[in-house]
Amino acid sequence: MQFCLDTAGTYYLRNSIVRGVHMNKQLTWKVGGAQGEGIDSTGEILATTLNRIGYYIFAYRHFMSLIKGGHTNYKIRISSEPVRYHGDDLQVLVAFDQLSINENLREMNADGVIIYDDKFQAELPEGSAVRLCPVPLTGIAKELGNVIIKNMVAAGASCRLLNLELQPFFEVVEEKFGSKGKDLIERNIKAIQQGYDYMKEHFADEMFQLPTAPQVDRPHLLMTGNEAVGLGALLAGCRFLAAYPITPATEILYWLLENMPNYGGKIVQAEDEIAACIMAIGANYAGVRAMTSTSGPGFSLMMEALGLAGISETPLVIVDVMRGGPSTGLPTKTEQSDINQATYGSHGEMPRIVLAPTTIEECFYYMIDAFNLAERYQCPVIVTSDLYLGMSKQSVDDLDMSRVVIDRGAVVTQEELDQRGQKTYPRYAVTESGISPRPFPGMPHGRFCALSNEHDDTGLEIEDTDGRVAQMDKRFRKLDTFNGGEHVSYKGPEQPDVVLVGFGSTTAQIAEAFAELSSTYSIGHLQIGCVYPFPTEAVRKILAHTKQIFVIENNKTGQLAQMLQQNVGMVDKVEAILKYNGNPFTVRDITTTVRG
Amino acid sequence: MAKVIDFKYDKPTWCPGCGDYTVLAAMQQACVGLGLEPEQVCCVSGIGCAGKIAQHFGGYGFHSLHGRSIPTATGIKLANQELVVIAAGGDGDGYGIGLGHSLHAMRRNIDITYIVMDNHIYGLTTGKLSPNSQKGFKTKTSPKGSAEDPIRPVEMAIVTGSSFVAQAFSGNVKQMVSIFEQGIKHKGFSLINVFSPCVTFNKVNTYDWFKEHIVNMDEDESFDPTNRMDALRRVHEVESVCTGVIYREERPAFHETMLGASETAGVHLDLDLAEEEMQSLIDQFRR
Ligand SMILES: Cc1ncc(C[n+]2csc(CCOP(=O)(O)OP(=O)(O)O)c2C)c(N)n1
Ligand code: SF4
């Protein structure tokens, strides 16, 4: 049985509305407006400042596939403890237009506050207890000579509402605009100050009290999943990237463009994703760790190349930052609907590995794993991230450098080749493990032909039955020693009645739902970080005595649920909680369904 | 010094008389003539009769996908610029399914030599229409004669930015070897379109037909292959049925000008970063 959630419910009010100063363990803040109005920069300035003074933040961008207009917003959850999700509720909304109020009111808490630009008359539905604070965001900005700095006025007003000190904001502004001249810095600082003063003067009793910021001697890392992928790739020794721009994967390209050339790495903006993927295959064949990054539409174009890497046993790393499909689908919205394609895509059959990092930190660690696995097993490794993981920004405590280990797998040495002294090398020798050492072009006595046809050990095409079967079996034998179970995490009792199962980016919401439900249920949380080869043993062990399994995934057809049923069985115990409206799960989406 | 035999591997399976035999032989002779060792050369091919050339060339090989020899070769060259990279395939491979890649490699000026065995037909799929087939040409997929105008590879390559453009003929091995040598030596993208008759399926564009029609520009002392407009005009006059070096210019190759260009080939880079280096990369994010 499967059922879907309709999250388009009405906003609801809480009974007790407390006016004045609110004490909060954590707080959610959002700014909304039309695209092109500086929404992101308002969010960025707040996120950066809060992270710098020691808070843990998680920032989620909601945007549209257009340059001007529409509705876009930037939400930040602020806490004194690590957070990985932007939260179900909303306490503070900064609205640049009425649309932002309409779009976000249902998320707002009853004790919420809306700061809005007084150039329009804000309207709330009857009975709404949310408080309104009109602030001349545009007015002040205009007086300062530039409408666009209304975002700084908004930041200043928010600063006051959250009872924060101004100085750290000023410092961030100074750094951000340092190269653009004193004038601009001063104007931005004034805008922040005046937004702050206006709030203080007109809405003195509106204030949220954040918990004390944790003491830090240096800021946490503030990074997106895409940046973590880029950093992971670079430290993993990736020195070639070919990619074609596509939301939400482009930031991987940006980050590597900025950083990889410093280490001798090369980057090509390819003419399309077919070329991008095949260039990466060519570079890997030539001995350079290489990857391509893309999203669904580009990944579809790579299907033939996937098979080429498979049969030619060329290592390959593909990062697919998933978005709403099919086709162009929802280019700016999140979804987890490509794992079937990652697992089964391309004609014919070949070994491959599909990893699904579950956190921003794992985006980093899994890239190191991906390159090692690709070279160890000489096969394609697909890393499926998604828009939510890729583009959200999070305070990360630290990354463990000791986990950066480079294992290039079976590579034949020049001495070995010289000792053989032959003209060609049996690159595709049928070995017991299925893995056969590879030389790199340029090495004397290592000649072979990599090819897309079925072949003999040196790379001559063959069609004889025995040779074909031997090579197929050899290729598939390679993964016998691979253990996807290392990428599975479980929290909860040893024999839970109920288990929440997810893969990839849904970790945080499931973890919060799990924490909430733990007091009433014997419940566990299983998060799968490798969807192929399916970690059947590890999963079966955890689920052995379970009465009910909820599989939570951002797609329409329950792709993980089906994989689970196919590999582990338990068909009658599996229920899928599915969401495919473009938004990430809320905690409530999960808890209400489990409670039934 | 390597000999021709060092550049051979196994026996090709082409039809007796197929033009591709002499293309392979000319490639082998050119490599020997240039004093190359087999391990220094990587032949990357697409799919088709012509595409099988990578299997039989004695250097390293990559017999890639239909139409994808160019991106494969691009990746290889950018990973290791020390290699001599020769891409090769049929006209369907390079001007049909793979045309987009061909054009982009030309304008980027990737330092590879691209040899197209142009038989005006799809050989391996048993005589189907090619984008290079002449108008009116009858095949199994054009039973009433092709209604399409053919691609003109040489003119296209000149205007797209190929920095070396030449045409050869399987029936003139001596000239072909010389052109291959020049193309391989040339720094940047070299397109060498070779009229390589398919004796089995193309009964129109035969050795005799080419011999009758080809104008050899190398023999024309008044022709200046560094003059782009002149080259275009002359090729147009002979309806592209000519051989010789048609156009050449000196331009930096992509691996020399691209972001990250370096003297050290990617394959020789030390991948292990010092701890402080890693730490400073991580610390970028403490913002
Ligand atoms: C994606 C794809 N489509 C179709 C084919 C089938 N196919 C193989 S070779 C070929 C055409 C070969 O013609 P050409 O490139 O001119 O080479 P020739 O055989 O004439 O040397 C085709 C259509 C294929 N291998 N892959
Ligand atoms: S079919 Fe034509 S192109 Fe193919 S091998 Fe025979 S003669 Fe050559």
Side-chain angles (χ1 to χ4, degrees):
Chain A
M1 192 196 107
Q2 301 181 352
F3 51 90
C4 312
L5 280 175
D6 179 8
T7 54
T10 46
Y11 65 96
Y12 60 96
L13 300 172
R14 276 198 203 133
N15 289 333
S16 61
I17 298 160
V18 199
R19 302 243 167 214
V21 176
H22 310 282
M23 294 299 291
N24 297 274
K25 261 191 78 180
Q26 42 172 280
L27 187 124
T28 42
W29 172 97
K30 183 186 269 190
V31 56
Q35 218 134 280
E37 270 193 311
I39 301 303
D40 278 356
S41 59
T42 317
E44 286 288 299
I45 197 111
L46 212 76
T48 311
T49 312
L50 288 161
N51 180 72
R52 190 171 291 189
I53 56 184
Y55 287 110
Y56 289 92
I57 66 112
F58 186 96
Y60 171 60
R61 286 175 59 201
H62 171 100
F63 62 107
M64 295 170 80
S65 186
L66 42 84
I67 307 300
K68 294 265 181 207
H71 172 70
T72 176
N73 66 57
Y74 190 115
K75 181 172 175 184
I76 306 175
R77 187 175 182 197
I78 310 149
S79 172
S80 52
E81 285 158 21
V83 271
R84 302 179 183 284
Y85 162 55
H86 58 277
D88 283 14
D89 305 332
L90 182 61
Q91 281 150 308
V92 178
L93 174 67
V94 178
F96 283 172
D97 51 22
Q98 179 65 37
L99 185 60
S100 299
I101 297 178
N102 301 347
E103 289 280 325
N104 298 292
L105 199 58
R106 89 166 85 94
E107 196 183 1
M108 284 202 85
N109 295 12
D111 62 348
V113 172
I114 299 177
I115 295 174
Y116 71 96
D117 194 338
D118 72 357
K119 73 170 189 195
F120 70 94
Q121 189 76 41
E123 282 171 32
L124 288 182
E126 220 169 289
S128 173
V130 169
R131 260 104 23 87
L132 292 172
C133 303
V135 177
L137 302 176
T138 303
I140 293 173
K142 261 191 186 155
E143 258 171 45
L144 290 169
N146 190 350
V147 188
I148 198 71
I149 58 172
K150 66 181 174 187
N151 58 355
M152 292 297 165
V153 184
S158 303
C159 175
R160 160 67 195 176
L161 186 63
L162 306 189
N163 194 21
L164 294 166
E165 281 179 34
L166 277 170
Q167 194 51 37
F169 282 85
F170 295 158
E171 282 164 22
V172 169
V173 164
E174 268 170 41
E175 273 168 44
K176 194 171 170 193
F177 299 109
S179 59
K180 293 186 181 158
K182 251 196 158 135
D183 227 36
L184 191 74
I185 295 174
E186 261 170 35
R187 208 174 321 159
N188 277 286
I189 285 179
K190 268 191 197 153
I192 294 176
Q193 182 76 54
Q194 290 187 23
Y196 184 96
D197 292 345
Y198 191 93
M199 268 310 276
K200 192 173 169 188
E201 197 176 315
H202 296 83
F203 305 102
D205 60 342
E206 293 293 357
M207 215 189 288
F208 287 89
Q209 187 61 52
L210 286 166
T212 330
Q215 284 289 317
V216 287
D217 43 12
R218 50 183 191 169
H220 312 292
L221 308 172
L222 185 59
M223 64 197 326
T224 64
N226 281 341
E227 288 168 333
V229 163
L231 178 67
L234 181 61
L235 295 197
C238 176
R239 293 295 179 269
F240 184 89
L241 167 77
Y244 188 81
I246 187 166
T247 305
T250 307
E251 281 114 7
I252 298 173
L253 174 61
Y254 287 161
W255 194 87
L256 285 168
L257 269 169
E258 213 167 287
N259 292 281
M260 206 159 72
N262 303 335
Y263 298 89
K266 295 201 168 73
I267 294 168
V268 185
Q269 180 179 326
E271 55 270 30
D272 55 36
E273 287 88 346
I274 296 175
C277 191
I278 294 178
M279 284 178 191
I281 292 173
N284 270 306
Y285 157 85
V288 169
R289 284 195 154 186
M291 67 179 264
T292 182
S293 51
T294 189
S295 184
F299 189 43
S300 291
L301 289 185
M302 294 177 184
M303 286 302 111
E304 195 190 15
L306 200 56
L308 173 63
I311 195 165
S312 68
E313 302 198 44
T314 311
L316 171 68
V317 174
I318 300 177
V319 179
D320 174 20
V321 188
M322 298 182 283
R323 68 187 209 184
S327 192
T328 308
L330 292 171
T332 59
K333 301 291 174 290
T334 200
E335 203 162 275
Q336 297 181 295
S337 49
D338 293 356
I339 54 159
N340 273 349
Q341 170 157 255
T343 302
Y344 307 116
S346 196
H347 59 283
E349 298 161 303
M350 79 196 97
R352 69 180 88 190
I353 294 169
V354 183
L355 300 179
T358 71
T359 61
I360 287 174
E361 292 92 324
E362 274 182 8
C363 285
F364 172 79
Y365 296 122
Y366 278 29
M367 285 309 287
I368 295 157
D369 295 342
F371 279 98
N372 288 339
L373 293 171
E375 290 201 327
R376 195 175 305 148
Y377 297 110
Q378 301 175 1
C379 73
V381 176
I382 300 142
V383 179
T384 58
S385 163
D386 59 31
L387 182 142
Y388 186 57
L389 208 50
M391 295 188 70
S392 297
K393 212 171 230 182
Q394 183 198 304
S395 306
V396 170
D397 263 328
D398 210 349
L399 294 170
D400 181 3
M401 278 192 301
S402 71
R403 283 175 67 177
V404 181
V405 179
I406 295 177
D407 167 13
R408 304 232 35 197
V411 177
V412 64
T413 64
Q414 189 56 57
E415 293 76 69
E416 289 168 289
L417 290 175
D418 290 342
Q419 239 163 34
R420 286 188 85 251
Q422 305 282 313
K423 182 168 164 176
T424 57
Y425 181 77
R427 160 74 183 94
Y428 300 112
V430 176
T431 58
E432 210 178 304
S433 67
I435 298 165
S436 17
R438 53 189 194 122
F440 298 140
M443 293 169 83
H445 306 296
R447 187 258 169 213
F448 74 98
C449 186
L451 78 175
S452 63
N453 290 66
E454 191 56 272
H455 44 257
D456 70 3
D457 58 356
T458 63
L460 262 189
E461 65 180 82
I462 55 162
E463 294 191 16
D464 76 281
T465 50
D466 290 350
R468 154 71 170 182
V469 171
Q471 286 292 331
M472 270 298 250
D473 291 349
K474 158 198 162 27
R475 286 193 292 271
F476 273 87
R477 235 178 3 253
K478 290 192 292 188
L479 288 184
D480 282 354
T481 57
F482 173 74
N483 176 16
E486 287 168 9
H487 294 88
V488 167
S489 72
Y490 174 75
K491 222 174 152 179
E494 232 169 79
Q495 297 193 358
D497 290 342
V498 182
V499 177
L500 307 175
V501 185
F503 77 96
S505 72
T506 50
T507 328
Q509 295 96 310
I510 301 177
E512 290 186 28
F514 158 75
E516 207 179 307
L517 296 165
S518 284
S519 52
T520 33
Y521 293 84
S522 153
I523 194 168
H525 172 198
L526 171 66
Q527 199 73 15
I528 295 174
C530 171
V531 293
Y532 190 87
F534 197 82
T536 308
E537 285 319 305
V539 171
R540 183 174 283 148
K541 225 166 103 193
I542 294 160
L543 297 181
H545 304 283
T546 304
K547 299 195 179 88
Q548 209 177 6
I549 301 161
F550 290 96
V551 182
I552 295 132
E553 47 187 319
N554 273 121
N555 58 49
K556 163 84 181 160
T557 55
Q559 299 183 16
L560 180 71
Q562 289 181 31
M563 279 184 196
L564 190 85
Q565 290 171 328
Q566 184 191 341
N567 289 288
V568 186
M570 308 187 156
V571 176
D572 53 334
K573 293 181 181 166
V574 174
E575 279 183 30
I577 305 181
L578 307 171
K579 187 168 183 174
Y580 45 91
N581 66 359
N583 294 327
F585 276 96
T586 62
V587 175
R588 214 173 285 134
D589 285 339
I590 302 163
T591 51
T592 36
T593 311
V594 173
R595 289 202 173 105
Chain B
M1 271 282 284
K3 296 190 278 295
V4 168
I5 183 140
D6 299 318
F7 281 96
K8 287 189 178 177
Y9 188 69
D10 213 70
K11 270 208 183 72
T13 49
W14 293 309
C15 306
C18 174
D20 297 350
Y21 278 103
T22 56
V23 175
L24 175 60
M27 253 169 69
Q28 291 159 335
Q29 286 175 41
C31 288
V32 172
L34 292 170
L36 297 168
E37 295 296 326
E39 67 269 12
Q40 294 176 281
V41 191
C42 187
C43 176
V44 187
S45 65
I47 298 297
C49 293
K52 295 185 191 282
I53 201 162
Q55 294 179 41
H56 303 295
F57 181 75
Y60 277 87
F62 201 139
H63 188 176
S64 180
L65 293 168
H66 190 32
R68 315 299 170 203
S69 65
I70 293 283
T72 314
T74 300
I76 295 169
K77 183 70 191 186
L78 298 183
N80 185 356
Q81 68 247 30
E82 292 165 8
L83 295 171
V84 170
V85 180
I86 302 172
D91 44 319
D93 211 67
Y95 309 133
I97 189 166
L99 178 66
H101 306 309
S102 304
L103 300 180
H104 290 288
M106 288 174 189
R107 72 178 176 83
R108 290 188 184 115
N109 207 27
I110 307 286
D111 185 19
I112 59 179
T113 302
Y114 186 27
I115 296 171
V116 181
M117 285 154 266
D118 179 2
N119 52 17
H120 294 8
I121 200 161
Y122 282 12
L124 192 65
T125 45
T126 65
K128 310 290 190 312
L129 191 72
S130 143
N132 288 40
S133 300
Q134 291 177 317
K135 200 166 193 169
F137 188 67
K138 280 192 182 165
T139 66
K140 289 181 199 161
T141 53
S142 55
K144 303 214 158 148
S146 168
E148 304 171 19
D149 277 310
I151 291 249
R152 292 187 172 230
V154 170
E155 285 139 285
M156 179 180 74
I158 295 172
V159 296
T160 308
S162 181
S163 54
F164 181 97
V165 183
Q167 203 151 241
F169 172 42
S170 288
N172 186 347
V173 180
K174 200 166 153 232
Q175 186 192 21
M176 184 157 50
V177 173
S178 154
I179 288 175
F180 285 2
E181 287 185 0
Q182 294 177 65
I184 293 169
K185 262 205 320 224
H186 173 78
K187 192 182 70 192
F189 192 88
S190 310
L191 174 79
I192 304 173
N193 192 64
V194 183
F195 296 127
S196 178
C198 170
V199 294
T200 306
F201 295 111
N202 192 333
K203 304 295 184 191
V204 176
N205 310 107
T206 59
Y207 282 96
D208 286 342
W209 186 91
F210 281 112
K211 270 183 200 145
E212 200 178 303
H213 290 84
I214 281 174
V215 176
N216 187 341
M217 309 280 248
D218 281 350
E219 287 171 350
D220 181 351
E221 280 175 14
S222 72
F223 178 65
D224 172 14
T226 62
N227 184 326
R228 184 189 295 240
M229 296 318 285
D230 212 28
L232 281 171
R233 188 175 54 77
R234 290 297 300 280
V235 173
H236 189 73
E237 275 168 13
V238 298
E239 292 184 10
S240 302
V241 193
C242 53
T243 55
V245 176
I246 316 282
Y247 180 68
R248 66 192 321 160
E249 70 179 22
E250 294 301 324
R251 220 166 86 220
F254 188 64
H255 67 267
E256 299 173 319
T257 53
M258 71 186 300
L259 196 64
S262 103
E263 298 278 300
T264 315
V267 69
H268 302 314
L269 292 169
D270 181 6
L271 303 186
D272 289 309
L273 300 184
E275 210 160 289
E276 311 82 72
E277 195 78 73
M278 284 202 257
Q279 195 60 57
S280 83
L281 277 164
I282 293 175
D283 287 342
Q284 281 186 36
F285 292 99
R286 298 189 195 281
R287 43 194 172 195

